[in-house]
Amino acid sequence: KDPSQSSLNMQWLDIDMIGGTPLPANPNPSKKKMVGARAGQVPVIRIFGVTDAGNSVAAYIHGYTPYGYFGLPDGYELDGSEENLAEIRRFLNDRLREKVGGRGGN
């Protein structure tokens, strides 16, 4: 059976999100466009469940981009360069780690 042409019906038991590498190409040959970042670490949603036949299933969902809106910290300006974005990202990650007690990755 062609997986790009079939549906997956499952009872969802658990869900989480991990970091991973972007897919090199869309696994569905009928879809040309790849959504999401093409470089760096990207979010991957994992859904664990069971099918109607009782088989365990893990689905990895690529192409989802979580987002949030943040005011720029005082003294920062957005110029769109990778260095500038990395500095702002570092600042926000440091603040988030402070708030959650140092848990989590980069």
Side-chain angles (χ1 to χ4, degrees):
K1 205 176 206 187
D2 182 358
S4 70
Q5 301 298 318
S6 61
S7 297
L8 172 65
N9 294 317
M10 64 185 273
Q11 178 184 5
W12 161 26
L13 301 174
D14 196 12
I15 185 170
D16 69 6
M17 187 167 68
I18 60 171
T21 56
L23 295 176
N26 195 321
N28 184 340
S30 69
K31 306 278 187 193
K32 300 295 182 207
K33 183 175 168 115
M34 282 288 292
V35 296
R38 289 176 171 64
Q41 192 171 27
V42 298
V44 179
I45 297 173
R46 297 187 302 182
I47 298 178
F48 302 94
V50 63
T51 66
D52 293 336
N55 297 316
S56 296
V57 177
Y60 289 69
I61 301 170
H62 291 255
Y64 170 78
T65 303
Y67 63 91
Y69 295 98
F70 302 92
L72 286 175
D74 289 339
Y76 285 83
E77 290 190 28
L78 185 62
D79 69 15
S81 70
E82 189 55 42
E83 295 81 19
N84 177 250
L85 295 174
E87 184 179 349
I88 292 170
R89 197 174 301 116
R90 238 184 335 272
F91 177 88
L92 291 172
N93 283 336
D94 289 346
R95 287 295 170 100
L96 286 169
R97 273 192 286 280
E98 287 173 16
K99 297 291 182 190
V100 296
R103 291 177 288 154
N106 289 333

